[in-house]
Amino acid sequence: MQQYFTDRELKKDDIFELDQDSLYHLIKVLRKDSSYRFRVADCQGKIYFCHLINNYQCKVDEYCDENNELDTDITCIISLIKSDKLELCIQKTVELGVKRIVPFAARRSVVKFNDEKKLIRLKKIVKEAAEQSHRNIVPEVCNVAKLKDLEKYKSSSNYICYESEKNIVDIPASDSITYIIGPEGGFEDNEYEQICSMGFESVSLGNRILRAETAAIYMTSIIVGKCQ
Ligand code: SAM
């Protein structure tokens, strides 16, 4: 069943307007009419079954008592990599349950990200992935972080995925977890040491060298497996 998000708070029998993109998708792309029931998640993370009453308004039928959020808040700090890979990484980690995405300008990130339009595009990808996976909330996409900013994205448990590490990842359950993935060329030694000194524990994802996007999806899956 199709899901959308609204910025407003909903209750049974409310009549409200979806945003233009969602309405377009529902009416023009899916060609649905008032007989179709869909889900809308409100600003409180509550989900309701709704239907269209005309070409721009919907009515709330009933509350859907469903929580698809993980007990663990996961923050993915992903180094800037080529945009198609970054978008894939973000889409998949959001489907898996990540709550916050922090693009990171690592020293070896060849991709520059100084364009507001790119951030808007990432937010759109996150919203669509959250709709697709029936999330209760739209995960946050933060502004591009530099090394000195990473401290503020720390959680109760913090990890840096490092391909030269011998210590295979083993994640105890935690209420919040942050992990960092390096760019295509990996972390510079000094950058890696500084991140470790901020309290990020270095972990290996195995002997094989993964692409950054594979590493992020795999790390998220490991956390979800432990903390679901
Ligand atoms: N330094 C490497 C190079 O240029 O050959 C590879 C970097 S890898 C493509 C990109 C990032 O994915 C790494 O910085 C790391 O965060 C993560 N990664 C890839 N394989 C990993 C592994 N086996 N264990 C831990 N992290 C890994």
Side-chain angles (χ1 to χ4, degrees):
M1 187 184 285
Q2 189 64 42
Q3 178 173 312
Y4 301 102
F5 287 92
T6 179
D7 290 340
R8 50 173 289 167
E9 191 172 350
L10 298 178
K11 59 180 184 329
K12 189 171 165 24
D13 295 330
D14 271 355
I15 290 176
F16 69 104
E17 283 179 36
L18 281 173
D19 64 77
Q20 285 303 314
D21 285 350
S22 303
L23 276 176
Y24 182 86
H25 186 255
L26 193 54
I27 297 168
K28 303 280 186 206
V29 179
L30 299 182
R31 301 189 162 276
K32 298 297 183 188
D33 59 22
S34 59
S35 62
Y36 179 68
R37 290 230 302 181
F38 51 92
R39 301 155 58 102
V40 180
D42 78 356
C43 63
Q44 301 295 326
K46 290 185 173 160
I47 295 169
Y48 293 85
F49 294 115
C50 304
H51 71 277
L52 282 167
I53 53 172
N54 54 42
N55 273 355
Y56 64 100
Q57 289 175 310
C58 326
K59 185 169 181 190
V60 178
D61 295 324
E62 57 180 313
Y63 174 58
C64 165
D65 186 10
E66 200 175 287
N67 181 11
N68 297 324
E69 295 304 311
L70 299 169
D71 290 338
T72 304
D73 287 352
I74 307 174
T75 298
C76 165
I77 304 180
I78 173 73
S79 296
L80 292 176
I81 50 177
K82 288 194 194 99
S83 55
D84 55 334
K85 312 286 185 204
L86 184 68
E87 290 175 9
L88 179 88
C89 164
I90 287 177
Q91 183 190 59
K92 301 306 171 206
T93 55
V94 167
E95 285 175 29
L96 286 165
V98 158
K99 204 159 252 167
R100 186 166 58 165
I101 304 276
V102 184
F104 170 48
R107 298 218 181 109
R108 289 196 183 131
S109 286
V110 280
V111 178
K112 298 293 167 235
F113 198 97
N114 38 20
D115 183 355
E116 183 63 17
K117 278 193 200 145
K118 283 192 183 167
L119 204 58
I120 292 170
R121 180 162 165 80
L122 292 190
K123 288 182 178 172
K124 185 168 185 283
I125 288 166
V126 164
K127 186 166 174 253
E128 287 172 0
E131 288 171 352
Q132 148 69 39
S133 53
H134 287 187
R135 298 281 302 262
N136 292 66
I137 55 116
V138 181
E140 178 187 10
V141 183
C142 301
N143 288 329
V144 176
K146 298 201 170 108
L147 188 59
K148 64 177 172 46
D149 305 318
L150 295 185
E151 196 82 49
K152 71 173 182 242
Y153 297 113
K154 281 173 67 180
S155 297
S156 306
S157 309
N158 302 284
Y159 302 95
I160 173 169
C161 297
Y162 190 51
E163 60 281 9
S164 306
E165 177 60 59
K166 293 282 164 271
N167 179 24
I168 292 282
V169 65
D170 180 21
I171 298 191
S174 174
D175 61 341
S176 62
I177 294 176
T178 295
Y179 69 83
I180 307 184
I181 302 289
E184 282 98 342
F187 295 106
E188 280 191 4
D189 290 350
N190 176 267
E191 183 181 42
Y192 165 73
E193 278 152 23
Q194 284 188 59
I195 295 172
C196 290
S197 70
M198 287 178 191
F200 288 83
E201 183 188 335
S202 180
V203 290
S204 163
L205 297 173
N207 292 339
R208 290 156 303 282
I209 307 294
L210 310 175
R211 286 189 184 267
E213 64 277 18
T214 316
I217 295 166
Y218 183 43
M219 182 64 173
T220 309
S221 312
I222 293 171
I223 298 169
V224 172
K226 284 286 170 99
C227 303
Q228 183 126 251

